[in-house]
Structures are given as structure tokens and as C-alpha cells.
Amino acid sequence: LLHPLTTPSHLLVLVALGLMAGRQGRSELKWPLICFALLCAVALLVTTTGAITSVPPTVLILVALLAGALLALDKPPPPLMVSGLFGAGAVAIGLDSAVEGVPGSGAARTLLGNWLSLSVLVADVALYVAMGRHLAWLQVALRVLGAWVVAIGLLMLAFAWRGEQ
């Protein structure tokens, strides 16, 4: 259950997506969250085949950068783009959360725990932001947090690229 909290790139993506969705409002949360939960489950199941065991950190960071930039610019994207970004984030995080060295039912329980924690974390952030969406200070805070996500993402991207050389 704690896996998303121990991987900085996963946490950055989840927080950025949750903040971006919450800014949209409670009535518009349904499809991005459903898209995230379904695609995350599919990606986690794909990891059981062993075909894909990780995702390059650059992919995760780029999803966070895009979500952070949309927050910082305070330009609400179309709902289809939000769902697409949620889908990309879900697939990237799901494929990067492969379970290694855990046999049989232990792997299934671990994957279920990963799926629950990923889905609940992004939904919680989105719901809490959506509840306070009418507050003027929260709109400013969301733009600041979006800028922080971009700054942190750029630093993580620089470290990832430096590590590849």
C-alpha cells in the first residue's frame, strides 16, 4: 500500500494529476478517475507477464511536467485531455510497479494493494481540491503547486538524464 509514497516520480505524478483533476470540479472527476483506475489495473496485470518490468523515469516525469504546467498556467484543459493524461500516468505508474520475487498469491495481493493505494491517493487529492475549489486562495495555491511540480520535475529529469550518461 505504501509503494506510491516511496517512489518520488510516482508521487509527483499522482499529486500533479490529483491537483489538476480537482481544479476541474467534483462533477468532472468521474471519467478521469475511472480512466486512471481501469488503466492502472490493466498495466499492473501486464506486469505479471514479465514483458515489461519498468518504465524509463523520463516518461513518468514528462507526465508530471505536463500536469504541473497546466496547473501553473491556470488553463483548464478539455476533459478528454485530462482523461488522456490520467490514462498515460496510470499506465506509466502501473507498468513501473512490477512485483519481483513474490510468488503466486503474494504477488496478487501486492498488486491489489498497489492498485488500491494508487487509485485512492489520486482520488483523495482530487476530491479535497474539488471541495475547496471555490476558495480564491486555493486557486493561487494550485498555480504555485503546479510551478513546484514543474521545478521538481525538471530537477528529476536532469538527474535522470545525468544518470543515463
Side-chain angles (χ1 to χ4, degrees), residues 92-116:
I93 291 173
L95 291 176
D96 199 45
S97 299
V99 177
E100 297 172 1
V102 181
S105 66
R109 286 193 303 265
T110 302
L111 289 174
L112 179 63
N114 280 348
W115 178 75
L116 284 173

Side-chain angles (χ1 to χ4, degrees), residues 57-59 61-62 65 151-163:
T58 306
V59 173
I61 296 167
L62 289 176
L65 282 173
I152 293 167
L154 289 173
L155 285 172
M156 290 174 74
L157 193 60
F159 284 126
W161 285 348
R162 184 171 185 223

